[in-house]
Amino acid sequence: MQPIERLGAFYLGREVDPETRDRSDAAVMYDARDLTTHGVCVGMTGSGKTGLCVGLLEEAALDGVPALIIDPKGDIANLLLTFPELRPEDFAPWINPDDARRKGMDIPAYAKKTADTWRAGLAEWGQDGERIRRLRGSADFRVYTPGSDAGVPVSILSSLRAPRQGWEGNEEGLREQIRGTVSALLGLAGVEADPLRSPEHILLANIFEHAWRQGRDLDLAALITSIQNPPVRKLGVFDVDTFYPAKDRFGLAMALNNIMASPGFAPWLQGDPLDIAALLQAPDGRPRHAIFSIAHLDDQQRMFFVTLLLEQTVAWVRRQSGTTSLRALLYMDEVFGFLPPSANPPSKAPMLTLLKQARAAGLGVVLTTQNPVDLDYKALSNTGTWFIGKLQTEQDKARILDGLESASGGVDRGTISDLIGDLGQRVFLLHNVHESAPLLFQTRWAMSYLRGPLTRDQIRTLKPVEADGATPAPAAGAPTVAATTAEIAEIAAADTADALPEGYQRTPPALPPTLPQAYLPVALSDADGVTALADREGRALTDAAAALVYEPRLVALGRVGFVDRRRGVDDERAIGLLLDPESVGTIVRWDDGEPIDLDANALEPAAGGEAVFAPVPGTLDKTKKIKAANKDFRDHLYQSQTLEIFHIPELKLYGEAGESEAEFLGRARLAAREKRDAEVDKLRRKVQRALDRLEKKLAREERELEEDKADYSARKREELLSAGETLIGMLGVFGGRKRTSGLSSAARKRRMTSNAKMDIAESEEEIAVLREEIEAVQAQFEEDAEAIAEKWDALLDAPGTHAVKPRRTDVRVDVVALAWTPVWEIGHTSAGGRRTGGRVEAWRQVSG
Ligand SMILES: Nc1ncnc2c1ncn2[C@@H]1O[C@H](COP(=O)(O)OP(=O)(O)OP(=O)(O)O)[C@@H](O)[C@H]1O
Ligand SMILES: [Mg+2]
C-alpha cells in the first residue's frame, strides 16, 4: 500500500478503476492548498457525503487546519466520538439501541460488534488507534449549540458591536455586514424585508450605521429603543416620522421585543462570542474545529444564525492577509435552502461574498447537498473541487453535469457521465481543476465513529468541562465604602454655614488662579446615590438625606503613542490616574494612583450643583507643586509604558496592538504553514532530482538485465548446439574428419554461458541495491519533511513578545490638576433609631 501520511496532503481514500470498478492500492492524496478554491460534494442520501467530509475534516485537523463547521443535521458532532483504544465500552454509550434491537443483540454485544467493525475498517484502510490518538491531540473539537446550552452556547451580541477597525475606510464592507445582520434580525422576527425598499430594513440599517460610525456598540435594548426614538431624524429626504410613522415603528419594536425578551431567547446572549478568530483557536493554542450544531433550531432561527456566522466570517476574511496556503475551512453539511438558485434568503449574500473573496485569505469553503437542484451554480463558478457521488435519477445526473459545465467549463460531459453512472456507496468522482483528469475513488474509513445524529442530551454529555470555576472578580469601579462621619452626613440637614465641620465650606476654597483645577463629572443623582447605599446595606434607608461633597485629589490624564513602522505598530493608549493627597509628597507615588477611564473633555470647570467643599491639604494647594507633578507624570508615562506585542522571530511575525493571542496564533499558524510548505516543496524538488537520477540508473540496469538475459539464453542455445556438434564430431558422423577443435570450443561456449549468467546475477544485485537506495531516499524524505513540519509547528507553542517603547515625543500629558471628586454623603436613621451615614462616590457609574 502507498503511504497515507504526507504533509499538506489529505488522505481521502483509494482510487477505483473506472472500467472494472475495483478498488486499487493507489491512495488519493488531495493537496490541501487546492481547497482554497472551494469544494462541493453532491450525492443522494446515504451515498457517503458526510463520511467523506468527516474524513476530510479529520485530515485537516491532523494537519493543523482549523474549521468552522455548520451542522444542520447533527451528524458532524460525531467528530468527537474518537476512541484510540477502540474498546467496546468506548462505543457502548453511543450505540443506537434501535440498531442493536434490529440486529437482535443487546447493547454490549452490539458495541463489541461495532468496535470490531471499526477496528477492521480502519485496518483495511491502513489506519489504527495511534492515528486516532494523533487526531485527538491535533485539534480542539467543540460543539456549539446556538440558542441552547446543551453544548457551548454562542452569544450573538458581538454581531451588534461596533467594528474595531473603525468606520472610516471600511464603509463598503461594513454596510454589507449591516445589511446581512439586519436581514437576519428581521428574518428572526418574521419580517420579510427588502434591503433597498422596506422601511424596517432601512431604519434598522441607519440605526446601526449611526452607532457604528461613532464607534458605539449596540445591544438589543438600545436597538429596540432606537426604533421608537431613532437617533437619525432624516432618512433620505424624508423626516423619519413621515417615512416610517411612529405607530408602525412601535409595531416593529414590539415584534423584536417579543422575541428577544422571551426567556427562550436568553441562551442566544450567553456563551462564547461569535468572534471568528477566537472560535478558530483553542485557548491552549491548538487549532479548533468549531462545530455549530443547529438541528434543534427552527428554520427562521437557523437562517438567523447561519447568516450572522457567515457575516462575521466575511468580516474576518477581510482582515486577513493574503496567502496561498490553506488557513482554515468553512464546511456546511447540508446547504439546502441557504444558497438556492432562484431565491434570495439572507444567508445568500454573505455566502456569495465568501465564495468570491475567501480564497485570498486561504479560507476554503466546502458545501454538501443531496440534491443537485439546491445549488446556485452561478455562485459556484470557479469552484475547484467537485465530489460527485451516487445520484438517484438520470435527471439528477443531467443537472449536476449542467451545473459542473456552467461552473467549471471545459469538462468532458461524456466521460464524466460514464464515470458517475452506477456509483457504489462511498464511491465518488473527484473533479479537481488542479489535476489533469477526473478520477473515481472510494472514501477511506472514518476515524470518528459515524453513529449518526446526536440528540441534544447526548451533546450535553459531550460538553467540554470548563476549567474555569473561579468566581468572577468584583467589577472594577464598584463604589468603595469609606468610613462615614455622622458629622458630615448631617450636612444635608444643616442649612447654616456654622454647622459645617472644620475646614469645610459651601464655596470653592480660594486657591491661586494659576493652580490647575478640574471637576470630575457627577454621574449619579442623589436618588441614585441613596439607592446605591441601600443596595450595599441590603435594606431601604429611612429618612435619607444626601449632600454633595467635593474632595480634593490629583488627576493625571495622558496619552502614549507606540509607533514602530517596521513592525506595523501605530497605536495609542490613554492613561488616567487619580491620586489621594497623601500620595503626592515630595515625590509623587504614581504607582499608588487609581487607574481611571476618563477623557480630559469630560472634566468640568465648575461644581455640578450645590455642594460642600472639603479642605485642600498642603500637598495640593501650590501651583509649583502641580506643575512639577505634570512634568513628573510625563517621565512616569515614558518610563512605565510599553506595548507588548506577540513576536515569533523565526517567522519574522509581530502581533498587532490589541490583537488577541488567538488571533495572533491564527496568523502565526498560517505563516508557519507557508514556511513549511515552501521548505518541503524545496526539499521535495531536490529529492525528486535525486530520485530521477536513481530511476534513470535503475531503468538502465533493468535494460541491461534484459540484455544479459537475452545474451544468456542465446549462449545457452549455442552451448547446446555446439555440444551437439561435438558429439557428432566425436562420433565421426561426417566422414571421419577429425574435429579437434570441437571439445575446446564447447568448453569455451560453456564458459561464456556461465559468464552471461554471472552478468545476470550482477545486474540483479545492482537493481536490488538501487531499489533499496530509492526506498531509503523516499523514507529519508518523509522523515525530513516531518522534521521540518515539527520545527515550524514548535514555534507556535510559546510565542514570545516584543516590547515597543514609546518615543519621548509620543508621550502627551493632557491634564495634571487638582481634581474635585464628588461624593454623596448620605445620612439616614438606623434600625435602632440612631442617626448614621454612608458615602457613595458620585463620579463613578454604578456598574450593573
Ligand atoms: N468513510 C466512512 N467510513 C465508515 N463508514 C462510512 C463512511 N462513509 C459512510 N459510512 C457509512 O455509511 C452511512 C451513510 O453515509 P453518510 O452518512 O456519509 O451519507 P450521506 O451521503 O451523508 O447521507 P445524507 O445525505 O442522508 O446525510 C454512514 O452512516 C456510515 O455508517
Ligand atoms: Mg450526510
Side-chain angles (χ1 to χ4, degrees), residues 649-768:
E650 293 85 347
L651 295 175
K652 297 195 178 65
L653 188 70
Y654 290 91
E656 287 159 16
E659 186 179 41
S660 70
E661 181 165 9
E663 196 145 357
F664 173 71
L665 281 178
R667 292 199 294 129
R669 168 161 300 113
L670 179 71
R673 205 183 166 76
E674 286 170 341
K675 297 266 190 206
R676 178 199 81 180
D677 286 351
E679 197 174 334
V680 172
D681 278 352
K682 194 167 147 211
L683 181 66
R684 184 177 287 129
R685 281 196 295 276
K686 196 177 123 208
V687 169
Q688 197 55 53
R689 281 196 296 276
L691 282 177
D692 288 349
R693 270 197 305 278
L694 288 171
E695 300 275 7
K696 219 185 259 167
K697 242 166 121 182
L698 180 64
R700 201 165 55 230
E701 285 298 335
E702 277 168 345
R703 228 171 23 247
E704 261 173 39
L705 176 62
E706 287 312 310
E707 283 166 15
D708 288 347
K709 278 186 180 157
D711 188 30
Y712 173 67
S713 36
R715 299 273 177 223
K716 193 92 188 156
R717 255 196 323 276
E718 251 181 66
E719 189 188 323
L720 282 175
L721 223 67
S722 91
E725 270 176 30
T726 311
L727 194 65
I728 290 165
M730 283 195 310
L731 294 175
V733 177
F734 295 110
R737 226 172 350 115
K738 258 245 160 45
R739 305 224 7 183
T740 46
S741 65
L743 200 70
S744 65
S745 137
R748 202 175 64 243
K749 294 252 154 77
R750 258 201 312 282
R751 202 171 51 244
M752 283 166 77
T753 312
S754 91
N755 278 352
K757 201 168 169 187
M758 261 159 56
D759 281 351
I760 290 178
E762 253 169 44
S763 285
E764 276 173 346
E765 198 173 315
E766 193 70 24
I767 284 170

Side-chain angles (χ1 to χ4, degrees), residues 49-50 73 75 333:
K49 300 181 296 296
T50 302
K73 289 198 265 183
D75 286 8
D333 190 47

Side-chain angles (χ1 to χ4, degrees), residues 420-626:
I420 62 173
D422 202 25
L423 291 178
Q425 207 219 1
R426 285 174 53 197
V427 179
F428 287 83
L429 170 96
L430 167 57
H431 171 79
N432 180 351
V433 294
H434 309 277
E435 300 288 348
S436 50
L439 60 83
L440 286 186
F441 76 105
Q442 184 171 14
T443 61
R444 72 158 169 78
W445 198 268
M447 285 188 269
S448 314
Y449 170 37
L450 300 180
R451 65 89 61 206
L454 293 181
T455 64
R456 245 199 285 192
D457 283 336
Q458 286 170 322
I459 288 176
R460 208 176 282 282
T461 62
L462 280 176
K463 195 161 162 176
V465 182
E466 299 287 355
D468 178 18
T471 48
T480 50
V481 186
T484 66
T485 57
E487 213 182 6
I488 294 180
E490 287 315 304
I491 290 169
D495 245 354
T496 55
D498 33 284
L500 290 176
E502 175 74 41
Y504 284 75
Q505 52 188 77
R506 290 190 187 274
T507 50
L511 291 167
T514 46
L515 185 112
Q517 299 185 50
Y519 286 77
L520 263 55
V522 178
L524 301 182
S525 69
D526 51 354
D528 294 337
V530 171
T531 313
L533 184 62
D535 282 352
R536 204 193 304 152
E537 305 220 328
R539 63 190 181 92
L541 303 184
T542 323
D543 296 336
L548 191 62
V549 177
Y550 276 98
E551 297 175 343
R553 295 172 89 182
L554 183 80
V555 66
L557 304 177
R559 276 156 211 285
V560 180
F562 300 95
V563 181
D564 185 335
R565 303 243 176 272
R566 209 156 61 82
R567 301 185 173 87
V569 174
D570 188 351
D571 198 34
E572 193 180 67
R573 183 187 291 162
I575 293 121
L577 290 174
L578 199 58
L579 288 91
D580 290 332
E582 305 83 70
S583 301
V584 189
T586 19
I587 54 158
V588 183
R589 292 201 307 273
W590 297 108
D591 292 335
D592 292 348
E594 175 194 353
I596 49 166
D597 180 14
L598 191 72
D599 194 279
N601 293 326
L603 291 170
E604 285 163 6
E610 200 174 302
V612 168
F613 295 82
V616 181
T619 51
L620 290 180
D621 65 358
K622 285 168 208 70
T623 307
K624 236 175 84 190
K625 181 86 207 163
I626 306 275

